[in-house]
Amino acid sequence: MSTLTQLLEESHTLGLVIGLSTFIIIGLFHPVVIKCEYHFGVRCWWWFLVLGTICLALSIMLYDVLWSSILGVAGFSSYWTIKAGFLVTRDAPTHGTILNKNNIHPPSTEHSIDRPSYKQIIRIALIFRAIVL
């Protein structure tokens, strides 16, 4: 356990810091969804899958409660970004063309090409499980 975590536990503020960190991480991921959908469409979903998997693997490996919690929140926020990116593209197909006046990078409108299949998701989960265990 790190000295920072011990200090926060002794002052009974560890939960407060974890909650504040969660609030900040979720607040940072919200504009990331919009920016990525604006510039790349749904083609960047796998970036967040890799980032989320790395964060969750590190969260499992760490013993420190503070850093494990922060990495867990970051990992699941990355997974949430995948879902939110597909929802933003599906619900507002002209969203990017309205905001992007120069129309340099129009958003992708074909969801079935970029969306992972259930078999791919299960295969990735099994690989992750084999690596962690």
Side-chain angles (χ1 to χ4, degrees):
M1 199 179 296
S2 70
T3 56
L4 176 63
T5 305
Q6 289 175 347
L7 178 69
L8 292 172
E9 279 185 355
E10 290 172 3
S11 63
H12 302 287
T13 56
L14 181 62
L16 181 67
V17 170
I18 291 173
L20 181 65
S21 301
T22 302
F23 183 71
I24 290 170
I25 289 170
I26 291 171
L28 290 175
F29 270 89
H30 181 70
V32 168
V33 171
I34 295 169
K35 293 286 186 186
C36 285
E37 191 274 334
Y38 175 73
H39 290 291
F40 305 109
V42 291
R43 294 184 305 262
C44 62
W45 69 267
W46 61 272
W47 298 346
F48 297 106
L49 179 69
V50 170
L51 178 66
T53 304
I54 290 170
C55 286
L56 289 179
L58 289 173
S59 174
I60 291 170
M61 290 183 222
L62 286 177
Y63 180 72
D64 192 0
V65 173
L66 175 66
W67 296 111
S68 179
S69 300
I70 290 173
L71 284 171
V73 169
F76 281 107
S77 294
S78 293
Y79 291 155
W80 168 81
T81 302
I82 296 169
K83 179 182 180 259
F86 282 113
L87 289 177
V88 165
T89 305
R90 185 194 73 200
D91 292 343
T94 59
H95 180 257
T97 54
I98 292 171
L99 293 178
N100 190 355
K101 292 181 176 71
N102 298 329
N103 206 11
I104 297 170
H105 302 286
S108 172
T109 56
E110 298 191 22
H111 308 297
S112 61
I113 294 173
D114 296 323
R115 183 173 288 178
S117 68
Y118 289 111
K119 288 181 181 179
Q120 290 173 328
I121 293 171
I122 291 172
R123 187 177 303 133
I124 290 169
L126 289 174
I127 291 170
F128 174 72
R129 181 179 172 208
I131 290 171
V132 172
L133 298 179

